[in-house]
């Protein structure tokens, strides 16, 4: 991407940031709803009547009181206005760039009119205050008189009206020039020439000996012409605005009908560059707060006249960091911005470990997206925005710990296939083995260090138990991967076929899956305790249902299915005849499945020889002979048994990969 393209992309991102600040400000005031402070969050149930907060859930409240009715009505109106403001800001956010520029030009022109008006008002008030004071040297004199009398002293007096008028004249001239180029009204030459005169009229009148009332009202008359242009643009563009909104609605409805809602969301997400916009918004928001904190600290130090020691500077920096983190997640928009920043860092953490492992899988690059979704779900589940600052910081740190443990699980998902590939394919590259083993060592040492620190610094709690369960689970998963990796390495250096390898790998995986299943049940009960006795919520309940279905029920059903299919395959294999050494010597052939020498074999009904382990794995997929496609297993007393395997063939196609995807390479199956 060229420098010009990058600059244009940055400008487009910056153009979409202000609407987020508008939404954020509305959310800071809770959309105009009254908020009562509580330990665990905000309760939107109080209305202020005559300066006193009244709980509307109180049965003794007089709902027919006039003051209560007016306060309630005002609260509803303020809430509706805030909602309308949020919706307008979001509509501006999703506009195309050309429409967004038009909106900003119009808002800039409106802002220039009001800035000009308030600047004129301020300057006229100061000029009148100086010229009307009896003891002032500028009393009963006008600036025009000073100019005609060449009274340079009064003209250049810093506290005199001359400097004020000159400053206001320069400001108004600059505002007039900018307004001429940005306003969207009719650009007739007469109007364009009158605009500077209109902006600077109060400055001209301040130089003349005009009546005070006329000078006092001159800013109002000077703003009439630009205001007329602004209102003309607003009324004349109303139909175009409606057309743009309707065209956007039509486009969205047509897109959804053709491609679906998810495709529309994905397309708009990419067009608006939402992650980058959220990151810029959050960084600017935090930078603004940091600047305010620095100014406050500087003012306090200047007043006290103290020399700040290194320890105090470090403490001040830690306090400021804590304050920035707390304010950085006080609203939903702020949480979204922090989520985007976390996604950005997690993405590069994943890239770093991919660089260590020398892998470039596309699926492994989703670590940033997964981390963002997890952090945002944790924020909603724990009610992060509704907590008071101290509890919010504690909860944020706990969420970060949970996120780190989840990140470790994702890193294990990256390194596990690498370990299996290196060992099963007999990869001779030593440095790749060392890199993978180094990451595994990190995935064991870091959770242990984290657990030691957390258990030494915190008392037992549901949050600590959850972090411990996730950490121990990742340690168990890494140990299981290393054990299977070791078995494959041993098999690689064996000169004969290792028939028990499949059983050993199955037992190790079954042990690891059982531990994970037990931890899943433990986490479910831990979450149920939190839901019932600590902090409930609809989001937490929904997440518990999702966890119970996917991580407990589906895993239990899949594990039981694998166990039953494996047991069935073992029974089928045991029913076949075992080949004798003489038969194997006369055959003098290799297994048609793995192409390895046969020191032991099973004989099928169609008189073909295969390794028992290879044939068992083949039965996971289908019940027919790999060579002649005759049925391998048949019970004469029940003819329906012939069709059971055929009916289950489609469902069994992925069983081998589901139970043991690496054994295809480890055993040499092609």
């Amino acid at each position: 991407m060229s420098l010009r393209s990058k600059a244009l992309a940055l400008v487009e991102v910056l153009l979409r940031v202000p609407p987020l600040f508008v939404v954020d400000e509305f959310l800071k005031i809770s959309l105009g709803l009254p908020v009562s402070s509580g330990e665990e969050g905000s309760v939107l149930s109080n209305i202020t009547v005559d300066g006193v907060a009244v709980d509307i859930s109180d049965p003794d409240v007089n709902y027919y009181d006039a003051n209560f009715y007016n306060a309630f009505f005002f609260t509803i109106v303020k809430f509706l206005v805030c909602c309308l403001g949020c919706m307008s800001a979001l509509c501006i956010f999703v506009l195309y760039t050309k429409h967004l520029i038009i909106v900003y030009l119009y808002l800039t022109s409106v802002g220039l009119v009001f800035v000009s008006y308030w600047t004129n008002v301020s300057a006229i008030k100061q000029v009148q205050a100086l010229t009307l004071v009896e003891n002032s040297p500028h009393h009963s004199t006008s600036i025009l008189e000073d100019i005609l009398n060449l009274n340079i002293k009064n003209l250049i007096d810093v506290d005199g009206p001359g400097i004020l008028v000159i400053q206001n004249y320069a400001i108004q001239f600059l505002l007039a020039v900018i307004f001429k180029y940005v306003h969207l009204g009719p650009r007739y030459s007469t109007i364009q020439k009158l605009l500077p005169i209109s902006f600077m009229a109060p400055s001209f009148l301040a130089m003349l000996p005009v009546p005070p009332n006329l000078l006092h009202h001159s800013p109002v008359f000077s703003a009439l012409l630009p205001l007329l242009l602004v209102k003309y643009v607003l009324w004349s563009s109303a139909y175009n605005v409606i057309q743009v909104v309707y065209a956007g609605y039509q486009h969205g409805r047509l897109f959804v009908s053709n491609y679906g809602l998810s495709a529309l969301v994905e397309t708009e997400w990419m067009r608006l560059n939402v992650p980058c916009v959220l990151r810029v918004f959050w960084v600017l928001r935090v930078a603004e707060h940091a600047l305010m904190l620095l100014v406050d600290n500087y003012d306090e130090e200047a007043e006290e006249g103290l020399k700040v020691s290194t320890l105090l500077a470090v403490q001040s920096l830690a306090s400021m960091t804590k304050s920035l983190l707390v304010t950085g997640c006080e609203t939903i928009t702020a949480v979204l911005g922090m989520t985007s920043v976390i996604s950005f860092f997690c993405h590069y953490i994943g890239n770093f470990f991919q660089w260590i492992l020398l892998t470039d899988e596309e699926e492994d690059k989703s670590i940033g997206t997964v981390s963002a979704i997890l952090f945002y779900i944790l924020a909603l589940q724990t009610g992060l925005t509704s907590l008071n600052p101290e509890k919010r910081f504690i909860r944020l740190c706990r969420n970060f710990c949970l996120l780190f443990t989840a990140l470790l699980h994702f890193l294990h998902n990256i390194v596990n296939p690498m370990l299996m590939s290196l060992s099963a394919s007999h990869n001779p590259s030593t440095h790749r083995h060392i890199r993978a083993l180094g990451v595994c060592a990190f995935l064991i040492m870091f959770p242990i260090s984290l657990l030691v620190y957390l258990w030494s610094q915190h008392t037992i709690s549901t949050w600590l138990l959850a972090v411990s369960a996730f950490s121990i689970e990742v340690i168990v998963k890494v140990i299981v991967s290393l054990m299977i990796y070791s078995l494959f390495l041993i098999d690689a250096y064996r000169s004969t076929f290792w028939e028990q390898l499949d059983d050993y790998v199955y037992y190790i995986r079954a042990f690891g899956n059982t531990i994970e299943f037990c931890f899943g049940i433990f986490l479910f009960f831990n979450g149920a305790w939190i839901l019932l006795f600590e902090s409930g919520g609809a989001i937490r309940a929904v997440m518990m249902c999702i966890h119970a279905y996917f991580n407990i029920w589906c895993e239990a059903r899949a594990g039981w299915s694998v166990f039953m299919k494996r047991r069935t395959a073992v029974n089928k294999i045991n029913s076949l005849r075992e080949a004798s050494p003489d038969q194997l010597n006369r055959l003098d052939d290799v297994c048609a499945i793995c192409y390895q020498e046969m020191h032991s074999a099973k004989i099928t009904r169609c008189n073909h020889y295969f390794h028992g382990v290879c044939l068992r794995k083949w039965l996971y997929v289908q019940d027919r002979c790999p060579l002649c496609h005759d049925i391998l297993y048949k019970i004469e007393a029940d003819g329906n048994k012939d069709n059971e395997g055929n009916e289950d063939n489609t469902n069994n196609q992925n069983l081998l990969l589901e139970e043991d995807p690496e054994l295809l390479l480890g055993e040499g199956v092609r």
Side-chain angles (χ1 to χ4, degrees):
M1 183 180 290
S2 64
L3 182 61
R4 181 175 179 273
S5 300
K6 291 182 179 179
L8 291 176
L10 178 60
V11 170
E12 186 171 355
V13 167
L14 292 175
L15 288 176
R16 301 192 185 278
V17 170
L20 294 182
F21 274 102
V22 174
V23 175
D24 189 64
E25 290 299 323
F26 282 121
L27 292 177
K28 281 183 180 179
I29 60 174
S30 301
L31 295 177
L33 292 175
V35 179
S36 64
S37 59
E39 288 188 1
E40 289 299 329
S42 303
V43 182
L44 305 178
S45 59
N46 288 353
I47 293 179
T48 303
V49 180
D50 294 334
V52 179
V54 178
D55 189 353
I56 63 176
S57 62
D58 189 352
D60 297 330
V61 173
N62 183 12
Y63 297 101
Y64 300 99
D65 182 69
N67 291 331
F68 177 85
Y69 177 79
N70 292 335
F72 183 78
F73 179 76
F74 177 73
T75 301
I76 295 299
V77 171
K78 188 165 62 170
F79 172 72
L80 293 177
V81 170
C82 291
C83 290
L84 182 61
C86 284
M87 292 179 62
S88 301
L90 293 176
C91 289
I92 294 174
F93 177 79
V94 301
L95 288 176
Y96 284 96
T97 306
K98 60 179 181 179
H99 297 138
L100 197 60
I101 293 175
I102 293 174
V103 170
Y104 280 125
L105 288 176
Y106 178 77
L107 294 178
T108 303
S109 62
V110 174
L112 288 172
V113 174
F114 282 98
V115 169
S116 172
Y117 171 76
W118 290 114
T119 305
N120 278 327
V121 168
S122 178
I124 294 303
K125 284 183 178 180
Q126 294 183 42
V127 169
Q128 287 185 329
L130 291 174
T131 56
L132 295 178
V133 176
E134 294 184 0
N135 297 328
S136 173
H138 309 284
H139 179 63
S140 300
T141 62
S142 65
I143 301 174
L144 182 59
E145 292 178 2
D146 290 334
I147 295 174
L148 295 176
N149 294 330
L150 299 179
N151 193 349
I152 306 301
K153 181 179 179 180
N154 286 348
L155 290 175
I156 64 174
D157 187 3
V158 177
D159 297 326
I163 293 296
L164 291 174
V165 171
I166 293 173
Q167 290 177 349
N168 187 60
Y169 179 86
I171 293 173
Q172 295 299 326
F173 178 77
L174 179 62
L175 293 176
V177 171
I178 298 175
F179 186 85
K180 284 177 59 177
Y181 286 100
V182 301
H183 80 86
L184 302 174
R187 296 180 177 273
Y188 301 120
S189 59
T190 304
I191 295 177
Q192 294 291 87
K193 292 176 182 178
L194 288 176
L195 281 175
I197 299 175
S198 175
F199 273 83
M200 295 184 291
S203 300
F204 287 128
L205 292 176
M207 298 172 62
L208 303 175
V210 296
N213 289 335
L214 177 60
L215 187 61
H216 179 73
H217 293 94
S218 61
V220 177
F221 295 107
S222 69
L224 289 179
L225 179 60
L227 274 178
L228 286 175
L229 289 175
V230 169
K231 289 187 176 180
Y232 173 79
V233 172
L234 181 62
W235 287 107
S236 64
S237 303
Y239 180 71
N240 294 332
V241 171
I242 295 174
Q243 277 189 323
V244 170
V245 173
Y246 182 73
Y249 166 75
Q250 288 289 91
H251 169 74
R253 191 182 68 172
L254 185 63
F255 199 99
V256 170
S257 62
N258 291 332
Y259 304 103
L261 180 61
S262 60
L264 176 64
V265 172
E266 183 179 358
T267 303
E268 293 300 303
W269 186 274
M270 298 298 293
R271 179 181 70 84
L272 300 174
N273 200 1
V274 175
C276 190
V277 174
L278 289 174
R279 280 196 293 272
V280 173
F281 159 74
W282 192 82
V283 170
L284 292 177
R285 191 179 190 277
V286 171
E288 176 191 5
H289 186 66
L291 185 60
M292 295 172 59
L293 292 178
L294 289 174
V295 171
D296 292 341
N297 291 338
Y298 179 79
D299 292 341
E300 292 178 0
E301 293 168 7
E303 291 177 1
E304 297 176 0
L306 298 176
K307 292 184 178 179
V308 182
S309 63
T310 304
L311 179 60
L312 291 177
V314 172
Q315 292 177 349
S316 177
L317 181 61
S319 176
M320 186 174 71
T321 304
K322 177 181 176 181
S323 178
L324 293 177
L325 289 175
V326 169
T327 57
C329 57
E330 63 181 346
T331 62
I332 293 295
T333 49
V335 171
L336 285 171
M338 181 179 283
T339 300
S340 183
V341 172
I342 291 173
S343 172
F344 178 79
F345 284 109
C346 290
H347 171 73
Y348 281 99
I349 290 174
N351 286 351
F352 173 73
F353 279 94
Q354 281 187 316
W355 172 77
I356 291 177
L357 296 172
L358 300 179
T359 181
D360 193 24
E361 294 292 335
E362 287 296 328
E363 295 181 358
D364 296 339
K365 294 183 178 180
S366 61
I367 184 171
T369 304
V370 173
S371 302
I373 295 173
L374 177 60
F375 177 81
Y376 192 69
I377 290 175
L378 286 174
L380 295 180
Q381 182 174 297
T382 55
L384 195 62
T385 58
S386 63
L387 300 175
N388 59 52
E390 190 62 34
K391 290 191 174 184
R392 188 186 304 153
F393 179 73
I394 295 174
R395 177 55 62 185
L396 184 63
C397 294
R398 292 179 175 181
N399 288 355
F400 277 136
C401 287
L402 291 171
L403 181 64
F404 290 154
T405 54
L407 195 62
L408 296 178
H409 282 267
F410 199 95
L411 294 177
H412 171 262
N413 292 337
I414 296 177
V415 73
N416 182 58
M418 177 66 65
L419 282 174
M420 300 303 105
S421 175
L422 290 174
S423 57
S425 61
H426 309 164
N427 194 309
S429 179
T430 306
H431 73 281
R432 299 197 67 179
H433 287 266
I434 295 175
R435 287 169 180 261
L437 293 176
V439 173
C440 290
F442 169 77
L443 293 178
I444 292 176
M445 298 304 298
F446 183 80
I448 292 176
S449 304
L450 181 64
L451 289 178
V452 171
Y453 172 77
L454 292 179
W455 281 92
S456 63
Q457 299 293 327
H458 299 84
T459 58
I460 187 171
S461 62
T462 52
W463 160 78
L464 187 59
L465 291 176
V467 174
S468 302
F470 282 123
S471 300
I472 297 174
E473 186 178 354
V474 74
I475 293 173
V476 171
K477 291 170 71 174
V478 173
I479 292 175
V480 168
S481 297
L482 290 175
M483 292 176 67
I484 297 176
Y485 166 81
S486 302
L487 290 177
F488 283 172
L489 282 183
I490 294 173
D491 180 63
Y493 288 100
R494 287 174 59 94
S495 58
T496 59
F497 179 71
W498 192 4
E499 191 169 352
Q500 290 78 21
L501 177 63
D502 176 67
D503 295 325
Y504 293 154
V505 171
Y506 175 76
Y507 296 146
I508 293 173
R509 287 191 180 278
F511 169 76
N513 292 335
T514 303
I515 297 296
E516 292 181 34
F517 180 74
C518 293
F519 276 120
I521 296 177
F522 171 77
L523 290 173
F524 176 79
F525 284 110
N526 187 67
W529 180 274
I530 298 174
L531 180 67
L532 296 175
F533 301 106
E534 293 185 8
S535 59
I539 297 177
R540 185 181 294 276
V542 170
M543 295 307 300
M544 284 187 58
C545 293
I546 294 175
H547 170 75
Y549 177 75
F550 287 101
N551 295 337
I552 296 179
W553 169 250
C554 291
E555 290 295 328
R557 186 175 61 179
W560 181 255
S561 176
V562 170
F563 171 75
M564 292 302 296
K565 292 179 185 298
R566 182 181 179 86
R567 190 180 70 169
T568 302
V570 169
N571 292 335
K572 291 178 180 180
I573 293 300
N574 291 337
S575 67
L576 298 178
R577 291 179 298 153
E578 185 77 27
S580 64
D582 293 338
Q583 290 174 315
L584 293 176
N585 289 332
R586 288 196 301 269
L587 179 66
D588 192 20
D589 200 358
V590 296
C591 174
I593 298 177
C594 68
Y595 299 107
Q596 298 287 328
E597 185 179 355
M598 289 188 292
H599 297 284
S600 63
K602 290 287 186 177
I603 305 176
T604 64
R605 295 173 60 254
C606 49
N607 205 31
H608 290 126
Y609 292 72
F610 304 97
H611 284 134
V613 175
C614 298
L615 197 57
R616 183 173 63 192
K617 289 186 290 186
W618 181 268
L619 288 175
Y620 294 162
V621 180
Q622 57 178 316
D623 283 345
R624 294 187 176 275
C625 176
L627 294 178
C628 66
H629 300 288
D630 191 15
I631 295 176
L632 291 173
Y633 181 75
K634 183 177 181 181
I635 297 178
E636 299 296 339
D638 188 2
N640 293 331
K641 290 291 183 179
D642 292 341
N643 298 323
E644 287 184 0
N646 297 332
E647 293 174 356
D648 292 339
N649 280 346
T650 303
N651 296 329
N652 292 345
Q653 293 296 323
N654 295 327
L655 178 61
L656 185 58
L657 293 177
E658 178 184 326
E659 181 201 7
D660 204 350
E662 293 83 15
L663 284 180
L664 293 176
L665 291 173
E667 296 289 356
V669 177
R670 298 294 182 265

